[in-house]
Amino acid sequence: MAARDVIVVGSGINSLVCAARLARGGHRVTVLERNEELGGCIRTEELFPGFRHDVLSGWYPLFVTSPAYAELGPELEARGLELLNTDTPTAVLTEDGQWTVLSTDRRANVQRLGAVADGEGQRYADELDRFLEEDSGLVFGFLGSEPMSWRASRLVASEVRKQGTRETASFLGRSLETSRAWLERAFASDLTRALLAPWVLHAGLGPDDAYSGVMARVITASLELAGLPVVRGGSANTVAAFRQLIEDHGGELRTGAEVERIVVRQGRASGVRLIDGEQLDADAVFCNVTPTQLYGRLLESEHVPHHVARDASAYRYGRADMQIHFALSGPPNWPDPALADVPMVHLTSGMDGVSRAVNEAQRGLLPAEATVVVGQPTAVDPSRAPEGKWILWIQLQELPSVVTGDAAGELSAPADGAWTEELREAYADRIQQRLARHLPGLDDQVEGRRVYSPADLEALNPNLVGGDPYSGACTLDQFFLWRPMGRTKNHETPVKGLHHIGASTHPGPGLGGVSGYLAAGQLL
C-alpha cells in the first residue's frame, strides 16, 4: 500500500502499537499527545526520592501474549525494553488471615489447592484444561479479531465444523455465566473462590455480571501461562522503547499538542486542528479517545449521524478507581514470607465481599470493605526502590464516581458528591488501617504516601471519565460486538479515514494494545 500521512491522537499503549506498526509499514506517522509526557496511562514518576512508581498501569500479561508483542517485541527489546517475571504472579489474603498463591506451574497449583480442600487441585486442573482445550481458541481468537470481519466469521464457522452446532451453542451459553456461578459450581473452597473472584474487577466486571465467568477463566489461564510481567525500571521504559522504534522508522511524536477538532472534507478525515490553531493534514486519523470525546467534541455535529450521536451520548462509564502509592523502609511483614514474593495480592473477605463492594459502589456508596489490590513491583524489580526498601501499589476498583454516602457510616459525603482532598485522604486512611491489621508495623515503615482519587485520575487522563480506569463500562451491552456502540463497525467511524482505537473500543481495556494493532491493519 502506498505511503500515507497518518496522525495518531493520544499516546497510550494502543496509540503506540498503532503508530509503530504503521511507521514500520512505511507510512509517515505523527503522534499527538496533549500532556507533556507520552504514554497515556503508562507513566512512571519518582514520587519520593529514589522510589520509581508506576502511577497508573504497570502489569503486562496481556501485552506479552498479544499479537502486537509477537510482532514488535524483538525491536522493542533491542531498544531497551526488558520484562521481568515471577512464577508466583498472584495470591489472596482474606480478612480472617487465610491465604494461598497461584503459580505459573500447574503441578504446584494442583498441589497447593489440593491442600486447601480435598480434590480442589484436580478440580482446578480440570476446569483450566477444559477451557484451554475446548473454549480458548474461540475466546482468544475473537478477542484478537475485528468482531465484524471475515476472520471472525471463519473462526466461528471453523468451531462449528470442529465441535458441532450444539456444542458451539453450549459454549455460547456457558460464556454468559457469571463468575459467581462458575466458582460456586466448579470449586468447593471459599478460599479458592476468593483467590479467583477479585480478578474479574480487572476486566471492569463484578462477580455477578454476565460473561464474568468466561473472563475469569481467561484471566486465570493468562496468569498461569504468562505470569504477571513488569518492566525493569518502570513502565515509562515501555514508552521510551516505542518512541525510539517509531522515530527510527521516520515517525514523529509531539507532546503538549492537544487536538481541538478533526478536520473533515467531503466526508473524509483530512487532518486535525490543535487548540493553538495549528492545522496538520493527513490521509488517515486514528483517535485514542472515548466515544463521548470523539462524537461530542472532536467532530463537528454535521459529520455525526443522529443515531451515532445519540448512542455516543448514552455511552456509560463504569465504577471509579483510586490509586495509593506507598514508599516503605522495607518489605511488609506478611503473615507468611511467601507473600513477599508475589507481585499482586488481593486483600478481601471473599467472593461475597467483592460482590458487596461492587454493589455498594454502584449505588454511590464508599464500600465499607473494598477489595484491596496490593501490587508489589519491587518483588519482581528491586531496582525501582533504594536498596532494601519497598513499594506498594494499591488499587481500589470498587468506588463511586459521585459519592452519595458511606456504607460504613463513618465518612460524610460532600453535598455535590465530588471527591475532595479531605475525602480522598480519609478513605485512604481506612485502607491503610486495614492493611496495617494484616501487616504489623506498616505505619512505622511508611516513608511516603501519595493518593490519587477518581477526580485526580480523570485530571491526569481525560479518557478516565469519572475515574473509570477502563474508559467505559465493560458490561455485556458495551462489549464484544457492542464496544463502543452497536451502530459502529469494528474500529471504523461514519467518517472515512477516521479510526477509533483505545480502551473504549474492542477488545476493551488492558495493556494488550490490540485495538491499535487491529486498526493499523486497515492500512497495511
Side-chain angles (χ1 to χ4, degrees):
M1 185 174 289
R4 297 185 182 185
D5 292 311
V6 178
I7 288 173
V8 180
V9 179
S11 64
I13 186 67
N14 285 290
S15 297
L16 296 173
V17 167
C18 180
R21 288 200 80 199
L22 293 173
R24 290 175 75 249
H27 296 291
R28 297 176 292 272
V29 179
T30 300
V31 177
L32 302 174
E33 169 57 51
R34 67 189 292 273
N35 291 326
E36 294 304 320
E37 291 189 21
L38 298 168
C41 286
I42 306 174
R43 53 192 302 157
T44 306
E45 296 183 14
E46 189 171 318
L47 297 181
F48 312 99
F51 292 85
R52 292 181 56 78
H53 294 254
D54 282 345
V55 175
L56 301 172
S57 58
W59 316 92
Y60 289 82
L62 295 181
F63 186 56
V64 299
T65 56
S66 73
Y69 186 71
E71 179 178 316
L72 303 173
E75 289 198 55
L76 293 170
E77 291 165 6
R79 291 164 174 81
L81 177 66
E82 183 180 358
L83 290 160
L84 305 174
N85 212 339
T86 173
D87 59 1
T88 54
T90 191
V92 66
L93 173 63
T94 63
E95 290 292 343
D96 61 4
Q98 297 184 75
W99 64 274
T100 192
V101 174
L102 187 72
S103 170
T104 56
D105 184 317
R106 171 65 64 83
R107 186 174 300 176
N109 288 333
V110 170
Q111 182 178 7
R112 188 175 285 114
L113 293 176
V116 168
D118 187 41
E120 193 81 315
Q122 190 57 52
R123 286 189 287 271
Y124 168 85
D126 291 344
E127 285 295 316
L128 217 55
D129 283 343
R130 181 183 183 185
F131 173 74
L132 291 172
E133 293 169 8
E134 299 180 12
D135 300 339
S136 64
L138 189 55
V139 173
F140 287 119
F142 195 78
L143 290 172
S145 305
E146 295 284 22
M148 299 182 194
S149 66
W150 283 112
R151 184 175 186 272
S153 299
R154 288 194 297 269
L155 182 68
V156 174
S158 173
E159 200 68 19
V160 171
R161 286 194 300 271
K162 183 172 65 175
Q163 299 203 38
T165 303
R166 288 188 178 181
E167 185 56 37
T168 303
S170 174
F171 158 74
L172 294 174
R174 292 197 306 275
S175 70
L176 297 178
E177 185 179 39
T178 68
S179 61
R180 173 185 294 278
W182 173 57
L183 292 169
E184 289 181 340
R185 171 176 55 78
F187 300 106
S189 168
D190 286 340
L191 186 58
T192 307
R193 296 166 185 157
L195 173 67
L196 301 179
W199 275 100
V200 299
L201 298 174
H202 299 267
L205 300 170
D208 301 296
D209 283 323
Y211 90 93
S212 60
V214 74
M215 294 308 292
R217 292 192 282 275
V218 166
I219 294 170
T220 302
S222 297
L223 289 167
E224 189 179 272
L225 293 171
L228 201 63
V230 301
V231 177
R232 183 186 290 277
S235 289
N237 290 334
T238 305
V239 180
F242 266 108
R243 178 170 197 158
Q244 186 176 341
L245 171 58
I246 294 165
E247 290 178 340
D248 287 348
H249 288 279
E252 179 186 8
L253 301 97
R254 294 175 54 179
T255 58
E258 183 172 356
V259 174
E260 179 182 58
R261 189 75 67 198
I262 297 165
V263 179
V264 179
R265 296 191 182 96
Q266 298 180 336
R268 185 176 188 87
S270 62
V272 301
R273 185 174 70 247
L274 306 185
I275 58 172
D276 63 4
E278 181 183 2
Q279 185 160 313
L280 303 173
D281 294 331
D283 301 304
V285 178
F286 293 77
C287 282
N288 188 345
V289 297
T290 66
T292 311
Q293 294 177 66
L294 181 61
Y295 297 110
R297 182 175 68 84
L298 294 177
L299 281 169
E300 294 277 8
S301 59
E302 64 188 270
H303 303 303
V304 182
H306 171 70
H307 62 275
V308 173
R310 184 180 59 199
D311 287 357
S313 66
Y315 185 78
R316 293 179 296 103
Y317 294 91
R319 296 182 303 276
D321 178 30
M322 174 181 280
Q323 298 286 151
I324 309 174
H325 296 276
F326 289 103
L328 303 184
S329 60
N333 297 306
W334 289 101
D336 190 282
L339 294 174
D341 297 326
V342 178
M344 188 171 287
V345 181
H346 290 107
L347 173 61
T348 175
S349 59
M351 180 173 66
D352 285 345
V354 178
S355 180
R356 183 168 53 251
V358 166
N359 180 267
E360 288 168 350
Q362 289 177 167
R363 291 186 289 124
L365 301 176
L366 297 169
E369 195 175 80
T371 306
V372 184
V373 183
V374 185
Q376 301 186 103
T378 37
V380 186
D381 180 16
S383 73
R384 298 193 186 192
E387 186 174 357
K389 299 192 177 186
W390 207 255
I391 288 173
L392 290 184
W393 176 99
I394 305 297
Q395 185 180 44
L396 308 170
Q397 301 179 82
E398 304 147 327
L399 293 179
S401 297
V402 178
V403 182
T404 60
D406 178 15
E410 299 170 350
L411 303 177
S412 298
D416 60 359
W419 280 89
T420 63
E421 182 177 342
E422 180 183 9
L423 181 61
R424 178 190 72 194
E425 297 302 322
Y427 197 75
D429 288 343
R430 175 184 295 176
I431 300 304
Q432 184 171 335
Q433 290 164 10
R434 277 183 63 203
L435 287 170
R437 289 199 295 269
H438 298 277
L439 307 175
L442 175 67
D443 292 341
D444 293 332
Q445 289 183 299
V446 175
E447 295 188 359
R449 186 181 90 174
R450 179 75 60 84
V451 187
Y452 294 86
S453 73
D456 297 326
L457 297 180
E458 184 172 8
L460 287 175
N461 188 329
N463 285 352
L464 309 183
V465 177
D468 174 6
Y470 303 123
S471 297
C474 295
T475 46
L476 185 58
D477 61 309
Q478 285 192 173
F479 219 71
F480 298 117
L481 296 171
W482 307 283
R483 194 164 188 88
M485 303 174 297
R487 288 189 173 92
T488 53
K489 178 184 176 184
N490 301 327
H491 296 93
E492 300 172 10
T493 72
V495 177
K496 294 179 180 179
L498 175 62
H499 307 266
H500 191 190
I501 62 174
S504 295
T505 70
H506 179 78
L511 286 177
V514 177
S515 75
Y517 180 89
L518 292 173
Q522 299 299 308
L523 297 189
L524 296 174

